[in-house]
Amino acid sequence: MNDEAIHSFEFVAAPSDLAPYLNSLYVWRSPAERLDDVLPAYSGQMVVFAEGVGRMQFDNGAVAQTSDAFFLAPLCQARNFSVSGPAVLFGVSLNFRGWAALSGLSVHDHHDCFLEPGMVLGEDLADEFAGLAERR
């Protein structure tokens, strides 16, 4: 039996003024070369991949690949995903208030997909967000 963890989460306390808008702030690590799993229907995510790349299967079997910095719109159903690693990402899990306040996008029209940062944040903030993903 291999004692090496497949992946780990480190949860970070949110500043008190942001807490009403977030489920969590987290750092996720996986030493695995490849990880295949299912992500349950869940809230919108603001994500930066510092290492690795992810793929998720959406409607009609379409598979989308992550960029270094991206948003995952709220998921209305569970989705198959894979990560090519080793991987390190940090993310913000937005609750419904956070998604509405940050994106202003209707979940009715924007769900179950990856969104480019510019669509959610506007170009200036999107450039700053993407800059967080600069690889070493």
Side-chain angles (χ1 to χ4, degrees):
M1 182 168 149
N2 185 350
D3 290 334
E4 185 176 9
I6 293 173
H7 57 88
S8 68
F9 277 98
E10 175 185 340
F11 292 97
V12 179
S16 60
D17 56 337
L18 293 180
Y21 300 96
L22 308 179
N23 294 317
S24 62
L25 296 170
Y26 58 90
V27 179
W28 179 80
R29 293 178 177 87
S30 175
E33 210 171 280
R34 182 172 170 102
L35 175 69
D36 296 296
D37 208 337
V38 176
L39 187 65
Y42 197 58
S43 67
Q45 306 288 307
M46 181 177 182
V47 180
V48 171
F49 258 101
E51 289 183 55
V53 65
R55 289 168 202 77
M56 186 169 284
Q57 185 176 359
F58 293 111
D59 291 336
N60 302 320
V63 176
Q65 182 168 304
T66 62
S67 55
D68 289 346
F70 65 97
F71 284 83
L72 173 60
L75 296 179
C76 295
Q77 68 182 49
R79 297 292 178 174
N80 293 319
F81 76 94
S82 66
V83 175
S84 298
V88 175
L89 68 81
F90 58 94
V92 178
S93 177
L94 301 159
N95 64 27
F96 68 95
R97 287 180 197 91
W99 180 259
L102 182 62
S103 75
L105 299 174
S106 161
V107 174
H108 177 76
D109 296 323
H110 299 91
H111 61 85
D112 296 276
C113 63
F114 293 139
L115 299 173
E116 291 297 321
M119 183 172 185
V120 177
L121 301 174
E123 290 307 316
D124 290 339
L125 285 176
D127 289 343
E128 286 188 44
F129 176 49
L132 296 174
E134 290 182 12
R135 297 176 188 257
R136 294 181 238 176

